[in-house]
Amino acid sequence: MNQDMAAQAAHKAGFIAALDQSGGSTPKALKLYGIDQSAWSSDAEMFDLVHQMRTRIIKSPAFTGDKVMGAILFEQTMDRDIDGTPTAQYLWEKRHVVPFLKIDKGLAEEKDGVKLMKPMPGLDALLERAVAKGIFGTKERSVVDAANPTGIAAVVAQQFDVARQVLSHDLVPIIEPEVTISIPDKAEAEGILLAEIRKHLDDVPAGKQVMLKLTLPTKANLYKPLIGDPRVMRVVALSGGYSRDEANAKLSHNTGMIASFSRALTEGLSVRQTDAEFNASLGSAIDSIFQASSVKR
């Protein structure tokens, strides 16, 4: 493990940029950026376009380790280059941003009020490739759609099973059991989720740490007990569909949590903007998310 990356991931002020939209979410991300589906005729062309968007973000003057602690990449982004340099290497060497990799293969059908992760055949091979590419950690997402104790227990158990596999490769897993922000029993679901996470932290191997990526909670500081746990490197918040202003406001009331925003980060960016306009808009977004992520102890 790169100890400089580990120190930054664990302690540095800033937030994690989620640049990991995959097959299902890429068309929506491109549409919000101003590129309609008529602009491509194959998945390859679509992924070329989204890589151009991500490259523009990563190369922006505001996108540095001063405020962006880390960035989560889609597998195809890891496998591509920026200016002839592999993306993860470029992030760390040129921008001083810690690279993470999304490893899940999407969501299974809903059962017991949750969506588990689909099977991940070949995960060990992917993790070996990630290590070779200079990746520091991973991210794996499942979804909670109801305060169903059986379903939430299954989600957390699966997440920690995958996390142990990731840890065996000396990578740091970001465990992401997202609670859907629109469900009526969100607060109850979050209480059940917290209890399950605390139970499974006992299974983290000695000397290892995980990160947790959690929906901004209905009850401020609900997840504060996790932040001081020695088995938890960092607790980060997903925006979950909240606007940037809403997400920042909610985050500012959660002591010690930092952001890991996707749509809330890229909100307002457009392919039609000049570089000056684009960089100003992204810089403003980064400043506001950094401020909301500032340590509040």
Side-chain angles (χ1 to χ4, degrees):
M1 181 180 292
N2 183 313
Q3 293 305 311
D4 290 336
M5 287 188 191
Q8 178 159 317
H11 304 297
K12 195 174 189 306
F15 67 94
I16 300 175
L19 305 178
D20 59 329
Q21 297 92 349
S22 55
S25 53
T26 296
K28 185 173 182 180
L30 285 171
K31 185 174 183 179
L32 290 171
Y33 184 54
I35 300 178
D36 192 75
Q37 290 195 22
S38 61
W40 67 85
S41 57
S42 67
D43 282 354
E45 291 178 358
M46 176 184 74
F47 286 123
D48 285 343
L49 289 168
V50 81
H51 187 66
Q52 291 170 20
M53 180 186 81
R54 290 169 178 152
T55 296
R56 194 180 189 193
I57 290 170
I58 291 168
K59 292 180 67 175
S60 176
F63 197 92
T64 74
D66 289 341
K67 294 180 179 177
V68 183
M69 178 272 278
I72 305 170
L73 305 176
F74 174 47
E75 184 179 345
Q76 284 204 27
T77 309
M78 177 187 76
D79 289 336
R80 293 174 183 243
D81 294 348
I82 296 177
D83 293 347
T85 301
T87 304
Q89 183 181 339
Y90 186 97
L91 271 172
W92 182 245
E93 293 182 356
K94 305 293 186 183
R95 315 310 285 161
H96 210 67
V97 171
V98 177
F100 295 82
L101 176 68
K102 167 188 160 68
I103 59 169
D104 67 79
K105 302 299 182 185
L107 301 171
E109 292 297 315
E110 183 173 318
K111 181 184 177 184
D112 295 326
V114 303
K115 298 186 186 79
L116 295 173
M117 295 178 284
K118 290 180 178 177
M120 289 177 261
L123 178 56
D124 283 314
L126 175 59
L127 295 173
E128 289 169 8
R129 198 152 53 83
V131 170
K133 291 276 191 179
I135 294 291
F136 172 76
T138 64
K139 190 212 77 168
E140 38 276 2
R141 171 179 174 262
S142 41
V143 171
V144 173
D145 284 326
N148 183 312
T150 300
I152 293 173
V155 158
V156 177
Q158 184 193 42
Q159 282 280 356
F160 275 86
D161 282 344
V162 173
R164 282 189 292 275
Q165 192 171 353
V166 171
L167 287 166
S168 73
H169 291 264
D170 283 330
L171 295 164
V172 175
I174 301 178
I175 292 169
E176 183 184 11
E178 175 179 351
V179 178
T180 303
I181 64 172
S182 58
I183 60 174
D185 50 2
K186 177 174 177 285
E188 185 182 351
E190 289 165 343
I192 298 168
L193 178 63
L194 173 60
E196 287 295 325
I197 290 172
R198 296 184 78 174
K199 184 194 309 179
H200 280 273
L201 283 173
D202 290 337
D203 299 331
V204 175
K208 300 285 190 179
Q209 289 182 304
V210 302
M211 297 175 69
L212 298 164
K213 181 169 178 175
L214 305 170
T215 303
L216 288 158
T218 301
K219 179 184 176 183
N221 283 324
L222 176 70
Y223 297 123
K224 192 172 181 182
L226 301 173
I227 292 168
D229 193 299
R231 297 159 297 189
V232 178
M233 180 177 283
R234 213 77 180 252
V235 179
V236 306
L238 61 98
S239 50
Y242 291 121
S243 70
R244 184 190 305 138
D245 287 345
E246 287 177 303
N248 283 341
K250 289 179 181 295
L251 178 60
S252 67
H253 294 294
N254 284 276
T255 303
M257 271 184 114
I258 65 171
S260 178
F261 292 171
S262 175
R263 279 171 291 179
L265 170 64
T266 57
E267 181 183 307
L269 300 181
S270 170
V271 67
R272 291 182 289 276
Q273 289 169 327
T274 66
D275 284 346
E277 291 168 339
F278 180 91
N279 291 334
S281 181
L282 181 61
S284 176
I286 288 172
D287 286 346
S288 71
I289 297 169
F290 176 80
Q291 185 63 39
S293 298
S294 295
V295 178
K296 305 169 284 292
R297 296 190 188 277

